[in-house]
Amino acid sequence: MPMLSLVRRGLPALAVLLSLTALPAHAQRPMEAAPRMAQVEQCHTLLTSDPQASLQLARSLMATPALSTSMEIGAVGCLGVALRALGQLDQTTDLPDRLLAAAARDDASNDDIQRARTMAAHLLLWRGDRARALTLTSTLLDDAVRQRDVQGQIGALMQIAMIRGDAMGDAEGALTYLRKATALSEHLHRPPNPGDLILYYNYGYALLMLQRHDEAMAAFKRAEAIGTRLSGQELFLNRIASHRAELRRLGGQLDTAETGLRGVLAWQAAQDPQGQVVTLQRLARLALDRRQPDAALPLATQAQGLAERGRFVEEIRNGLDLLGDIHTLLGHREQALQYVRQVRALDQARSKGETLDQLARLQASAERSIAPAQVNAEQDLGRVRVLRNTAVVALLAVWVVATVVVLRLRHQRRQLTLLSRTDSVTGLLNRREAERRLEERAARGGASERSALLLLELDDFKALNERHGQAAGDSVLRSVADCLRGACDRHDLLARWGGAAFLVARHDTSAEAAQALAGHLRLAIERLVVDIEPGQHLTLTASVGVAPLPLFADTPAVLDDSLRAADRALQGARQSGRNAWAGLWGERGAQAPHLHAVLGNPEEALAAGWVTLSGSRAIHWAP
């Protein structure tokens, strides 16, 4: 009896760049276009939770007259991904050309052009036009390298990985470029986002195909942790559940594996035909493990029909392998041989010399042009040049900022000595009590323990008070306090810091966890709706500054130093457009200059390796 093929050998044609096809968050939007822009964004959000609803919304948008170029690219891209996800690829024939035509318009921005080319390349690859897909990917890679666009380079690497895995059936080759994309992503120093979920998902899948089961399980756990924290990621979470069940099947846990596979099948049948095909094929493999080829045959036949209707190339090939194994066990040698011939024909089609030569040139360009370590070096060099050209002005500004910070903190502390333990408006701890508790904690904390201090300030609160009155302002402060209580852990320290400012302290945590908390709190405030009187409500935004206590890992804890650093980060968030968070995390303090110099010029401190800077967007750290 021939050896049965127990492991699939390629990567599925996933929508690996969904996050790149969404509209850029920073795009300027006319007021009259805002509702339709929100619909385009919702269309992309629904792709990973409800593709059917996403498809309906995309078609509705496409029927809207006079869409702007940016909106049309977003709507066409969403339609293409939704049709692919639901196995209706035959309806995407004209979409690549429509995307490229929109990208060629005079009013198309660089972001519009990148999104249109990326989505067109995916659609062309899914439809089997590898030559055009590779040409577009090469253009995207060249542009990303020339513009030093790290996110664009990550996208190009993931596209190469997708071509190697899905079009060429080469999981080892795909893993090489996914690993390089992961290294680039980690250099961005930002909280996890949907792009990271997709990256680690594909990384885990490549490891699964290579039978590196422990590493695959670890990658899937990381992807699952990101997907659980983000909303609307049901498609990937169900696929991850299927992959983890497959790992259990390969480990001999057949009953547990079957429970996991059947647990995701209903959702996939309604929303994810490609995922449904893979799960059905795994259930058929599980039946073969139990020596039940009669039970495996209808599952494999159903999966093959779905794969062919959806034109899922790798799933079709794997299905032919599976059907050949089943008919071999059933003794149907002629049918088994027929499936083997079909597999051979598919593999030969994949190995056309022209496509391989084009892919080889693209890979050589990626290897020559993209180096993760060089990305940070170039960014640091640019910052050093700016600092050198503005050294005299910066030095004067440092002392001005330092003097203002010192005077303001002294004034606030004199006022806080008159207050009791709690704030009369919000019921939270007041600043004096919060400082006392933080001092106690710092005194008894170990050398390796660092807390995160987050200063959160409501944006434009003064204007709100002037417009609606102090009573409405107090109502807003109470609502924000309740919101923060719900968004924080029960062990976090939460205080009213004065005016429209609040303090959150989380003990024994990391820089990454502190950054995630800052993003979580900013989003919670943004989603808050405050009823100030019947029929009238307000929405809010807040800016957040993050710093550790102790400020530097190799120096004793000084609360004032950390608070000044958090306040400096808050200033950076506010002068970068507000509704943002910024972080200043000390690294090597023993060799750092006076604190005033570090806070007055954080970018110089970053270049010297004394601090790490981060933010929800590009932060302006200049004094």
Side-chain angles (χ1 to χ4, degrees):
M1 180 184 299
M3 181 177 294
L4 302 182
S5 173
L6 296 179
V7 182
R8 301 172 64 242
R9 289 176 288 177
L11 290 172
L14 298 172
V16 295
L17 295 180
L18 287 173
S19 60
L20 294 181
T21 64
L23 289 170
H26 60 271
Q28 297 297 317
R29 308 172 185 174
M31 289 300 295
E32 63 273 13
R36 274 182 292 179
M37 187 69 77
Q39 286 184 306
V40 177
E41 292 176 344
Q42 183 185 15
C43 185
H44 285 271
T45 300
L46 290 170
L47 283 170
T48 52
S49 60
D50 192 348
Q52 289 282 5
S54 186
L55 177 61
Q56 294 174 9
L57 184 54
R59 284 174 169 161
S60 172
L61 285 164
M62 297 284 287
T64 303
L67 282 177
S68 70
T69 296
S70 186
M71 290 182 190
E72 181 173 347
I73 290 172
V76 174
C78 185
L79 178 64
V81 176
L83 288 170
R84 164 63 179 177
L86 295 172
Q88 301 174 32
L89 194 62
D90 57 322
Q91 299 182 35
T92 65
T93 306
D94 64 329
L95 298 188
D97 290 331
R98 184 164 180 177
L99 285 163
L100 295 176
R105 294 175 187 166
D106 292 338
D107 62 337
S109 67
N110 288 335
D111 282 334
D112 294 333
I113 295 170
Q114 182 193 38
R115 291 185 296 112
R117 288 175 174 173
T118 298
M119 195 63 252
H122 274 73
L123 289 170
L124 290 167
L125 181 61
W126 291 333
R127 295 187 59 82
D129 192 344
R130 298 176 195 160
R132 288 184 68 194
L134 283 164
T135 299
L136 278 175
T137 302
S138 180
T139 301
L140 287 166
L141 177 62
D142 291 343
D143 289 347
V145 171
R146 185 178 64 256
Q147 298 168 9
R148 293 185 175 89
D149 176 7
V150 180
Q151 190 63 56
Q153 294 175 32
I154 292 172
L157 289 170
M158 291 178 71
Q159 179 81 336
I160 295 172
M162 181 177 166
I163 295 169
R164 292 303 302 253
D166 185 55
M168 312 305 296
D170 178 13
E172 185 70 59
L175 184 65
T176 299
Y177 292 95
L178 289 171
R179 185 183 292 113
K180 195 163 189 173
T182 302
L184 267 182
S185 178
E186 290 172 351
H187 275 290
L188 293 178
H189 298 296
R190 52 167 170 68
N193 63 20
D196 294 323
L197 165 62
I198 297 167
L199 181 56
Y200 284 106
Y201 170 87
N202 285 347
Y203 189 64
Y205 202 92
L207 290 166
L208 173 59
M209 295 307 98
L210 294 169
Q211 303 185 55
R212 293 161 62 173
H213 297 164
D214 291 341
E215 294 174 79
M217 184 66 82
F220 285 137
K221 285 181 178 178
R222 183 163 185 179
E224 186 176 48
I226 296 172
T228 302
R229 289 169 56 186
L230 303 171
S231 60
Q233 301 299 326
E234 285 81 359
L235 184 145
F236 284 104
L237 291 175
N238 279 283
R239 287 190 178 187
I240 290 169
S242 177
H243 300 331
R244 294 178 70 172
E246 172 69 356
L247 286 167
R248 294 186 178 96
R249 180 187 76 82
L250 294 171
Q253 304 174 44
L254 302 187
D255 292 340
T256 304
E258 182 174 10
T259 300
L261 292 169
R262 295 197 180 278
V264 302
L265 197 56
W267 191 92
Q268 290 181 328
Q271 298 288 358
D272 182 14
Q274 187 179 21
Q276 180 190 11
V277 170
V278 174
T279 300
L280 286 170
Q281 289 175 344
R282 287 169 174 170
L283 285 168
R285 286 286 179 199
L286 193 146
L288 290 185
D289 292 342
R290 291 171 170 162
R291 296 294 173 177
Q292 298 172 353
D294 290 324
L297 183 58
L299 292 167
T301 303
Q302 179 188 0
Q304 195 67 6
L306 290 170
E308 290 173 354
R309 282 197 295 274
R311 295 176 64 177
F312 303 134
V313 177
E314 188 59 30
E315 281 66 30
I316 292 173
R317 189 217 177 281
N318 294 328
L320 293 172
D321 261 344
L322 175 60
L323 286 167
D325 292 342
I326 292 172
H327 283 288
T328 297
L329 286 176
L330 290 172
H332 305 157
R333 291 192 169 275
E334 284 301 319
Q335 288 175 279
L337 183 59
Q338 180 182 354
Y339 288 123
V340 170
R341 288 170 179 160
Q342 292 181 49
V343 169
R344 187 178 303 157
L346 284 176
D347 288 343
Q348 288 174 347
R350 279 172 160 174
S351 303
K352 290 183 179 179
E354 181 182 348
T355 300
L356 288 177
D357 290 344
Q358 199 173 2
L359 180 59
R361 290 193 294 271
L362 179 59
Q363 291 174 171
S365 177
E367 292 293 340
R368 180 177 63 254
S369 305
I370 299 178
Q374 183 181 357
V375 170
N376 269 8
E378 290 177 351
Q379 293 173 348
D380 291 343
L381 180 59
R383 283 190 287 266
V384 169
R385 287 170 177 166
V386 171
L387 290 170
R388 179 195 62 195
N389 295 336
T390 60
V392 175
V393 176
L395 182 60
L396 295 174
V398 166
W399 290 108
V400 172
V401 170
T403 302
V404 170
V405 169
V406 171
L407 292 176
R408 186 174 66 177
L409 286 175
R410 287 177 178 173
H411 175 69
Q412 290 175 342
R413 294 196 69 171
R414 282 195 300 268
Q415 288 185 327
L416 287 171
T417 57
L418 304 176
L419 299 178
S420 62
R421 294 166 64 91
T422 58
D423 172 63
S424 60
V425 176
T426 64
L428 299 176
L429 294 178
N430 63 24
R431 178 169 178 167
R432 183 177 61 176
E433 178 63 11
E435 286 184 328
R436 186 186 66 80
R437 296 190 184 188
L438 287 171
E439 292 280 12
E440 288 182 354
R441 176 76 187 193
R444 68 174 184 266
S448 61
E449 282 190 8
R450 299 180 81 183
S451 300
L453 303 184
L454 288 78
L455 277 178
L456 181 149
E457 187 168 19
L458 300 180
D459 297 325
D460 299 319
F461 184 76
K462 181 180 179 181
L464 182 153
N465 252 347
E466 292 173 349
R467 188 179 307 116
H468 300 285
Q470 184 175 346
D474 288 348
S475 177
V476 166
L477 292 174
R478 283 190 288 269
S479 297
V480 170
D482 291 339
C483 174
L484 292 176
R485 286 189 186 97
C488 293
D489 291 346
R490 62 189 183 91
H491 296 300
D492 292 341
L493 186 149
L494 178 58
R496 167 94 182 276
W497 204 244
F502 297 81
L503 175 80
V504 176
R506 177 165 291 181
H507 301 304
D508 193 17
T509 192
S510 65
E512 292 77 14
Q515 293 162 12
L517 177 61
H520 174 61
L521 296 182
R522 185 204 63 79
L523 186 59
I525 297 298
E526 188 178 35
R527 291 174 174 172
L528 181 63
V529 178
V530 181
D531 295 319
I532 57 174
E533 59 181 62
Q536 187 175 10
H537 62 268
L538 298 174
T539 57
L540 309 169
T541 61
S543 301
V544 187
V546 184
L549 176 68
L551 180 57
F552 298 100
D554 54 354
T555 60
V558 179
L559 180 59
D560 279 351
D561 290 355
S562 295
L563 289 173
R564 292 177 191 176
D567 188 72
R568 182 66 179 87
L570 175 60
Q571 291 177 34
R574 293 182 62 189
Q575 69 186 26
S576 302
R578 306 190 179 189
N579 191 23
W581 65 262
L584 192 157
W585 201 270
E587 298 292 347
R588 297 185 297 108
Q591 301 175 0
H594 195 276
L595 178 65
H596 293 170
V598 174
L599 299 188
N601 234 321
E603 290 180 324
E604 187 173 43
L606 171 68
W610 299 319
V611 299
T612 297
L613 303 179
S614 56
S616 56
R617 63 166 73 107
I619 299 298
H620 301 292
W621 292 100

